[in-house]
Amino acid sequence: MMKSLSFPLLLVLLFQCSTTSAQPAAAPVSPVVAPSPPAPSPPAPPALGPAPPLLGPIPAGPDDITKILTKAGQFTVLLKLMKVTSVDKQINAQLNNSNNGLTIFAPNDNAFSGLKSGTLNQLSAEQQVELVQFHVVPSFLSVSQFQTVSNPLRTQAGGSGKFEFPLTLTTSGSNVNISTGVNNATVDQIIFSDGQLAVYLVDKVLLPMSIFGPKPPAPAPAPAKPKKKPALATSPVADSVPVDTSGEGKLMVPGMMVVIGLSVVGTFYS
């Protein structure tokens, strides 16, 4: 009886052992790696106000600064100055014939009303041209490029030297500031931007050093050259007088010899 029961029991034990050995080994647990910290994101560009609503769509075709400012509104004084100085034609010609692009800092009528009375009328025709050109940078600048521009910026008015037309642009958080050396302004809104022309609203008229700043100091006078002593004048008669070297120290003047000789002849015949 015991022999008959032990054989089936042995088969069951063998089956369980084979089943247990056939099960795959558990995969090793990989160590937990802490995630790396995210890379610091670049500073966000200044958040300027949105462009003001236009009265109507700008006609398709080349950019036209007159049409852009007219549609934007509140740029009556700037448009008059551009027309009087013909800077509007110059800007449109550059936009149509160049790939460099332009950036215009446009003061509105409120900005011009902040000038002293008669400021524009006191400017010569040349200075009015320079004033308008001082608001034009001969390259396209997007908002993100404000953080990396090289100061001082060169404008259409001329050189960027200390007493010429320097323009410095800086950013602080969401603010974009412009300094001319005479006054400071803030860029408030994007009026227009299409990759070739950028027009930004500024809250003040940009006053260039060359016109409204102090005049450069006068150059030091050149050192005076030492005066030469005048040469003594010589008499032609004295140069022709022979010197008697006989030791008596007498001068032999030819004219006197002739007079003396004629006197002796006259005495002889008298």
Side-chain angles (χ1 to χ4, degrees):
M1 181 70 181
M2 293 296 293
K3 292 181 179 180
S4 61
L5 290 176
S6 61
F7 182 75
L9 182 60
L10 181 61
L11 290 177
V12 172
L13 293 173
L14 291 174
F15 177 77
Q16 289 181 349
C17 291
S18 62
T19 304
T20 303
S21 61
Q23 292 179 353
V29 179
S30 58
V32 178
V33 179
S36 59
S41 58
L48 300 181
L54 302 180
L55 301 179
I58 297 175
D63 292 335
D64 188 313
I65 187 58
T66 302
K67 293 179 180 178
I68 292 172
L69 293 178
T70 300
K71 295 292 183 181
Q74 299 183 357
F75 293 96
T76 305
V77 180
L78 180 59
L79 284 168
K80 286 182 179 179
L81 273 175
M82 284 185 169
K83 184 176 181 180
V84 169
T85 58
S86 298
V87 174
D88 55 348
K89 296 179 181 178
Q90 178 187 8
I91 291 174
N92 291 334
Q94 287 181 269
L95 291 173
N96 296 332
N97 301 322
S98 174
N99 295 324
N100 294 333
L102 294 173
T103 300
I104 300 176
F105 297 107
N108 58 12
D109 294 339
N110 288 334
F112 278 99
S113 66
L115 295 176
K116 292 182 179 180
S117 178
T119 297
L120 298 179
N121 294 332
Q122 294 174 359
L123 300 179
S124 65
E126 180 181 0
Q127 289 174 331
Q128 289 181 355
V129 173
E130 292 173 341
L131 177 63
V132 180
Q133 290 178 331
F134 187 56
H135 293 73
V136 182
V137 177
S139 60
F140 174 81
L141 295 176
S142 64
V143 175
S144 59
Q145 289 176 305
F146 287 164
Q147 297 173 320
T148 58
V149 294
S150 298
N151 288 310
L153 289 175
R154 184 178 180 87
T155 68
Q156 296 274 43
S160 57
K162 181 177 180 181
F163 295 98
E164 296 178 307
F165 301 93
L167 192 69
T168 302
L169 191 149
T170 57
T171 60
S172 176
S174 60
N175 297 326
V176 181
N177 304 312
I178 300 177
S179 176
T180 70
V182 177
N183 67 339
N184 300 318
T186 301
V187 179
D188 287 339
Q189 288 183 339
I190 304 172
I191 301 298
F192 180 85
S193 180
D194 66 351
Q196 185 185 17
L197 172 65
V199 183
Y200 299 100
L201 171 66
V202 291
D203 65 344
K204 290 187 178 71
V205 180
L206 306 179
L207 304 179
M209 284 283 292
S210 178
I211 301 176
F212 298 95
K215 300 305 177 185
K225 295 182 179 180
K227 295 182 179 180
K228 294 182 179 179
K229 294 182 179 180
L232 297 177
T234 56
S235 172
V237 177
D239 292 342
S240 61
V241 175
V243 178
D244 183 10
T245 59
S246 60
E248 298 179 358
K250 297 180 180 180
L251 295 178
M252 301 296 293
V253 181
M256 294 178 63
M257 294 176 62
V258 173
V259 173
I260 295 173
L262 291 176
S263 300
V264 171
V265 172
T267 304
F268 181 78
Y269 285 101
S270 58

